[in-house]
Amino acid sequence: MNKKNFIPYFISLIGMFLLSPPYFAYGFLLLITFDIIYSATTYFSIYLNDLEKKYKDCFLLLGSGILTIFIHLLITFFSPVIGNTINFIIFLIPLATLTFDTLINKEVSTISEKTVISFKTLGYLNIIAISFCLLREFLAFSSISYLTRDGIVAVNIPIHLFKEITFIGSTIPGILFISAFCMMLIPLFVTHKKSQKDEESN
Amino acid sequence: MEKKLLIKIEISIAAITVLLFSSFLLAYFIQDNTNKKIIEQLQNIVNNYQENTYIVTEKAPFQTALTSIGNIYIAEKENSEKQSYIALIRIMGISGPVSAVFLYDNNYTSFIDFAGISNARSYKNHGINNSQISYWEKTINDIIISNTTVQGENNE
């Protein structure tokens, strides 16, 4: 992921969080699930590197899909209500990881490079996702929420800031506005060092 | 080279199959625990609505298409022969999905509360509007009435 090609990464990432409820706890849970599935998919993709691409993608989607079902069951075991609420959103994650795998394969030339770049990208994606979810809940309800077995519990700031524009952070169309705002900001931070290196090499 | 690839494919298929079967096993083993936990939570919600009136006992044995989005549970009402029911349904609103709880009592279904969200501010009832709630009230009412009448006929 660099300045030039970050948009497909960003859109695939936001696609997962767009439909989730506007509380940080749900975003955090989805992010942990995403991290596990992304890591598994990366290693599985490296293992099946010699296979033709269309068959490999089939295997990856099947494997990550079943892994998602397994993780969803674990979440349901931890808290049935949370499991019921995020039941269909969680199945967007295998699609997103497959997109990331395809995008990263275009960037790398050797297998050894792939592990490094994949996990570097994962680090960036984690930072973006956590700040996105925090910003979203803070903008919507001026609160932060955490997970318990009975569902989520929110810790509210006594004063509800931005009360007039709650709809921006809390509704799905409003989140698109935040996404557009993030898209403007991210190029300022992402892989700044790499671009300097590029300039030096040029 | 080809043989190596074949072995890799075989191992992958085996791994996926093992994961699939372990999912089935996990689903089977967590069933009771999940039901117990949901019943406990529903009991709390119902107690907040009307204290010491309903006792949530078990999952209703209805065969409906609802199982993918929620479940219906039996609630016994004190001093009443007729059974009441409690439904936990996932509804998709403009703020994303939420789990809503409905109570069926005496041929009438009403919305009680949202489950799994405590102490949180929300945008217009978690993005769920009144027409969605009345749609689900009517649907759950129809499902329970049709199932209970069929069961009654079978018993006779």
Side-chain angles (χ1 to χ4, degrees), chain A residues 32-50:
Chain A
I32 292 173
T33 315
F34 169 69
D35 284 353
I36 296 167
I37 293 165
Y38 184 97
S39 315
T41 312
T42 304
Y43 283 119
F44 200 27
S45 171
I46 290 168
Y47 183 70
L48 289 176
N49 194 45
D50 304 332

Side-chain angles (χ1 to χ4, degrees), chain B residues 23 67 73 85:
Chain B
S23 302
T67 43
Y73 290 82
Y85 293 92

Side-chain angles (χ1 to χ4, degrees), chain A residues 70-123:
Chain A
F70 191 80
I71 293 171
H72 178 244
L73 285 169
L74 288 178
I75 292 170
T76 312
F77 178 67
F78 170 71
S79 168
V81 170
I82 291 176
N84 184 44
T85 308
I86 61 166
N87 191 345
F88 74 91
I89 301 164
I90 205 166
F91 295 105
L92 294 174
I93 293 175
L95 289 174
T97 46
L98 195 65
T99 318
F100 288 130
D101 187 63
T102 315
L103 288 170
I104 287 166
N105 275 343
K106 277 182 188 169
E107 279 188 37
V108 296
S109 46
T110 58
I111 309 171
S112 54
E113 224 181 15
K114 189 173 169 175
T115 326
V116 179
I117 289 184
S118 291
F119 285 99
K120 221 176 181 178
T121 310
L122 183 63

Side-chain angles (χ1 to χ4, degrees), chain A residues 19 21-23 47-48 50-51 66 73 77 80-81 84-85 87 141 150-152 154 156-157 160 170-172, chain B residues 1 5 8-9 11-13 16 23 30 33 37-38 41 90 92 94-97 99 116 118-119 121 123 126:
Chain A
L19 293 174
Y23 299 99
Y47 183 70
L48 289 176
D50 304 332
L51 200 64
I66 293 168
L73 285 169
F77 178 67
V81 170
N84 184 44
T85 308
N87 191 345
F141 311 125
D150 292 333
I152 63 158
N156 294 321
I157 297 173
H160 191 170
S170 58
T171 63
I172 293 168
Chain B
M1 185 65 196
L5 193 62
K8 277 186 176 180
I9 292 169
I11 291 174
S12 311
I13 292 171
I16 290 171
S23 302
I30 68 169
N33 202 310
K37 185 72 194 160
I38 290 186
Q41 256 177 290
R90 186 184 64 242
M92 186 74 183
I94 201 165
S95 297
S99 294
S118 53
N119 195 27
R121 296 184 177 122
Y123 173 70
H126 300 283

